[in-house]
Amino acid sequence: MPHAVVIKPDQSIDLAKFDTCEKGGLDKETAQAKVAELGKRLTELQELMYAAGRNSLLVLFQGRDTAGKDGAINRMLDFVNVQSARVAAFKVPTPVELAHDFLWRVHQETPGKGGITVFNRSHYEDVLVVRVHELAPKEVWSKRYEHINNFERILTDSGTILIKFCLWISKDEQEQRLLDREQDPTKSWKLSVGDWKEREKWDDYTAAYEDVLKRCSPENAPWRLIAADHKWYRDLAVMETLISALEPYEAGWRKHLEEIGVKARAELEAFRAAVP
Ligand code: ADP
């Protein structure tokens, strides 16, 4: 059973009917053990990708407040060498950012060859919050789906492995998570009236997400929809997806590194032979 649902081009999804409680027939302990195993593979694959310097990895997370973006990113980063990885969080745009096209601030955060960048929110906010709150007129945001597809095509054509995760929780689960925060004094700093206000727009966001999934899932950059009520299931789905996205490149990276090694060895031998 696949743990993340890969959205097909132009596929309509009824998110209100999506089972956010999915467990994939697993229990927490089994899933966590699998995550640890997959984590070792991620460490290995990252090192190969870094050394080969041919591809980069961009992992993008979207989801409502409390959907678990921070948690999923933290878990993934447990297995990543941060020397060649970073997180870019996209907040309300600054006046300078707003004075440019919506992709301007995003493009400069994309990873260079060998690197990993994780997006905590992304350019999709420009067809989500912007649409729901009418921060731009419809004729502006409605063109952005195509802009986004073209932008992501540039990235994938340039060797970026692009993985887009949409973490999906139920309305009840969100309420529970918001209330839990209130009970935990160490999380008081996270309390925000804004989260409850956004919740009132639940259905508008659902519609906006449905359009995003349908319109921005071309073959080169499909969305991966993850049932995220169970954090352990979410983490497993993320890790499984990452490994299966990176593995097809492994043989090519290894071959390239072997070639580099042969060349470097020959240069070293020639250098030694020339030393009197
Ligand atoms: P988070 O909720 O991600 O932990 P914040 O509480 O700082 O972090 O929220 C960031 C806010 O920035 C979100 O409400 C998000 O909708 C908003 N945001 C991000 N990108 C845009 C954008 N392009 N236009 C308007 N608001 C945006």
Side-chain angles (χ1 to χ4, degrees):
M1 144 151 297
H3 295 119
V5 178
V6 184
I7 308 297
K8 298 191 185 71
D10 219 32
Q11 183 183 349
S12 297
I13 288 267
D14 184 348
L15 285 172
K17 295 213 175 101
F18 183 68
D19 181 9
T20 56
C21 287
E22 177 68 58
K23 292 184 183 177
L26 297 165
D27 58 45
K28 187 174 175 179
E29 286 68 33
T30 313
Q32 287 178 335
K34 274 179 186 259
V35 164
E37 273 307 304
L38 292 165
K40 288 187 206 150
R41 275 295 279 156
L42 181 59
T43 308
E44 188 180 21
L45 289 165
Q46 180 196 9
E47 194 178 325
L48 287 171
M49 183 181 78
Y50 171 77
R54 290 191 149 180
N55 298 95
S56 57
L57 175 65
L58 174 56
V59 187
L60 181 160
F61 285 89
Q62 280 291 155
R64 298 177 195 270
D65 296 320
T66 75
K69 299 183 289 298
D70 292 355
I73 292 170
N74 285 339
R75 191 68 188 117
M76 173 193 160
L77 292 183
D78 283 341
F79 307 107
V80 162
N81 181 344
V82 290
Q83 293 205 78
S84 56
R86 51 190 296 279
V87 178
F90 294 93
K91 311 248 173 198
V92 177
T94 64
V96 174
E97 288 168 348
L98 277 178
H100 293 80
D101 72 83
F102 77 105
L103 291 170
W104 178 77
R105 67 172 180 164
V106 181
H107 206 163
Q108 43 196 316
E109 300 287 0
T110 56
K113 296 261 190 300
I116 297 180
T117 303
V118 181
F119 279 5
N120 188 342
R121 302 186 187 269
S122 67
H123 41 291
Y124 284 96
E125 291 292 326
D126 290 278
V127 283
L128 291 166
V129 65
V130 168
R131 166 176 165 171
V132 170
H133 287 278
E134 298 176 7
L135 302 178
K138 184 171 182 185
E139 57 266 32
V140 171
W141 61 254
S142 61
K143 290 189 184 138
R144 290 181 173 165
Y145 302 99
E146 200 184 334
H147 296 152
I148 288 173
N149 287 339
N150 289 335
F151 169 61
E152 293 180 354
R153 164 66 69 185
I154 295 176
L155 300 181
T156 57
D157 278 354
S158 310
T160 303
I161 302 162
L162 172 59
I163 310 293
K164 305 188 295 193
F165 290 118
C166 178
L167 307 182
W168 205 250
I169 52 170
S170 69
K171 201 170 181 184
D172 287 347
E173 179 65 19
Q174 188 192 50
E175 183 176 20
Q176 198 51 56
R177 289 184 186 186
L178 288 171
L179 292 172
D180 285 350
R181 264 184 201 172
E182 288 181 40
Q183 302 308 315
D184 183 350
T186 65
K187 291 198 177 155
S188 299
W189 63 273
K190 280 193 178 179
L191 298 179
S192 154
V193 177
D195 289 343
W196 290 95
K197 282 195 183 154
E198 286 302 88
R199 202 173 141 71
E200 287 169 10
K201 305 244 177 216
W202 185 272
D203 293 341
D204 294 340
Y205 271 107
T206 301
Y209 268 101
E210 282 173 352
D211 272 353
V212 160
L213 298 182
K214 181 178 164 67
R215 301 182 64 177
C216 297
S217 287
E219 297 284 355
N220 63 307
W223 275 98
R224 265 86 171 187
L225 178 62
I226 295 182
D229 278 2
H230 296 290
K231 295 174 184 174
W232 53 266
Y233 181 80
R234 170 203 76 198
D235 291 341
L236 178 60
V238 166
M239 294 299 289
E240 280 191 346
T241 304
L242 291 176
I243 300 305
S244 53
L246 292 173
E247 271 180 343
Y249 294 87
E250 184 178 10
W253 293 335
R254 286 193 187 279
K255 187 161 178 283
H256 183 56
L257 290 174
E258 257 174 52
E259 286 162 6
I260 294 175
V262 168
K263 200 166 160 242
R265 200 173 283 280
E267 278 171 10
L268 191 59
E269 279 166 13
F271 169 75
R272 292 223 174 99
V275 175

